[in-house]
């Protein structure tokens, strides 16, 4: 399932554990202990960190595609 800027951060991490690397890269480790992780979208997190959400979405989706290819 493709990730969008409206995807919930917590759901992204739960469904794509490798996305933690990308989220930590752009949002920092504090994101993982923030209660907002269960309610906030990638777009909201990106806005809070002054980052283009499409950059994060693209990187997470590329990781997911790589994982799928490696499984085959």
């Amino acid at each position: 399932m493709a990730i969008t800027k409206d995807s919930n951060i917590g759901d992204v991490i739960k469904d794509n554990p490798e996305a933690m690397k990308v989220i930590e890269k752009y949002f920092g480790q504090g994101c993982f202990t923030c209660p907002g992780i269960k309610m906030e979208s990638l777009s909201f997190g990106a806005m809070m960190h002054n980052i283009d959400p499409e950059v994060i979405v693209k990187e997470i989706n590329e990781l997911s595609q790589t994982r799928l290819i490696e499984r085959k």
Side-chain angles (χ1 to χ4, degrees):
M1 182 169 146
I3 305 302
T4 70
K5 66 181 184 175
D6 297 319
S7 297
N8 176 278
I9 297 170
D11 291 341
V12 169
I13 293 169
K14 182 175 68 176
D15 297 339
N16 303 287
E18 70 277 358
M20 288 181 73
K21 295 175 191 172
V22 178
I23 291 170
E24 182 178 11
K25 176 180 171 182
Y26 292 103
F27 298 165
Q29 284 188 317
C31 186
F32 305 121
T33 58
C34 175
I37 197 171
K38 295 178 182 171
M39 315 176 266
E40 295 171 358
S41 66
L42 288 170
S43 180
F44 182 82
M47 179 187 68
M48 296 301 292
H49 293 275
N50 198 28
I51 299 165
D52 178 359
E54 294 304 327
V55 171
I56 298 164
V57 168
K58 180 179 182 231
E59 203 165 320
I60 291 171
N61 282 322
E62 286 173 353
L63 273 177
S64 297
Q65 287 290 49
T66 301
R67 185 183 70 175
L68 288 174
I69 291 169
E70 289 173 352
R71 285 185 181 174
K72 291 182 179 182

